[in-house]
Amino acid sequence: MEFPPDVYVWQAVADEIKRRIKAGQYQPRMPIPAERRMAEEFGVAVNTVRRAVAVLREEGVLMTLPAKGTFVAPIVDVEQDPSAD
Amino acid sequence: MEFPPDVYVWQAVADEIKRRIKAGQYQPRMPIPAERRMAEEFGVAVNTVRRAVAVLREEGVLMTLPAKGTFVAPIVDVEQDPSAD
DNA sequence: CTCTATTTGTACGTATGTATG
DNA sequence: TCATACATACGTACAAATAGA
């Protein structure tokens, strides 16, 4: 019986987003998929994606422009792989 | 209906809680009503109360102990009373 | 300028899990 | 065991801002 799960769903989503940034799938200054879009893709609730995005926003990884979208911050301390293009 | 509401519902709730603290209805180190309790009392959703509590928690006004309750912080700047030692 | 589509923000409702008493 | 209380999670609806036809 797990008490606090190893990782919460929103943590897994946040981790996946960061992983994609590292992989170059989501690049700096470029928008990431919409919240509802990712919710469907990951099979989770919109609120869960929103929580993940909120955390990454506070970490400085993402930037959100209301009614425009959420973008990868120009400079992210997340390791980036130039060869992955 | 106003479009950009003067205050959001969660802001109104947070304001009401602080008002009660100022009024002495909720006192330092004492628990405030449960989230669902306040949700029913204010006629709002639980999530809305949670958001209000979360904000007040970050402001240092409230302290939450999981599965125990949410308490008014021992010292709150809401009530500036220098004579209170 | 109007209409529509997209996207985020706010809000409501519900269910489950865990901890406490 | 049961009731209480918070944390997480899922689902839904509407409003506002933006962009494009």
Side-chain angles (χ1 to χ4, degrees):
Chain A
M1 31 173 165
E2 7 266 296
F3 333 101
D6 296 356
V7 290
Y8 295 115
V9 178
W10 65 263
Q11 279 182 332
V13 172
D15 191 57
E16 176 60 22
I17 293 175
K18 285 198 286 189
R19 185 171 300 120
R20 293 185 178 185
I21 293 175
K22 292 178 188 174
Q25 185 173 348
Y26 297 160
Q27 299 198 354
R29 300 175 185 278
M30 295 296 288
I32 67 176
E35 295 168 344
R36 286 168 177 72
R37 190 105 168 116
M38 288 191 289
E40 291 183 8
E41 182 175 342
F42 294 137
V44 300
V46 178
N47 283 340
T48 304
V49 173
R50 284 185 60 77
R51 186 178 291 270
V53 170
V55 170
L56 296 182
R57 200 183 301 131
E58 292 186 4
E59 289 182 6
V61 176
L62 298 177
M63 293 176 53
T64 296
L65 298 181
K68 290 207 67 177
T70 298
F71 305 77
V72 178
I75 300 178
V76 180
D77 61 349
V78 182
E79 302 289 282
Q80 209 178 356
D81 188 356
S83 61
D85 189 4
Chain B
M1 297 290 278
E2 286 77 60
F3 327 112
D6 296 358
V7 290
Y8 295 115
V9 178
W10 63 265
Q11 279 182 330
V13 172
D15 192 57
E16 176 60 22
I17 293 175
K18 284 198 285 188
R19 186 172 300 118
R20 293 185 178 184
I21 294 175
K22 292 179 188 173
Q25 185 172 346
Y26 297 160
Q27 298 197 355
R29 301 175 185 277
M30 294 297 288
I32 66 175
E35 295 170 343
R36 302 192 180 217
R37 190 107 169 114
M38 288 190 287
E40 291 183 9
E41 182 175 342
F42 294 136
V44 300
V46 178
N47 283 340
T48 304
V49 174
R50 282 186 60 75
R51 186 178 290 269
V53 170
V55 170
L56 296 182
R57 199 183 302 131
E58 292 187 4
E59 290 182 5
V61 176
L62 298 178
M63 292 175 54
T64 296
L65 298 181
K68 290 207 67 175
T70 297
F71 305 79
V72 178
I75 299 177
V76 180
D77 61 350
V78 171
E79 192 172 38
Q80 294 279 11
D81 191 355
S83 61
D85 189 15

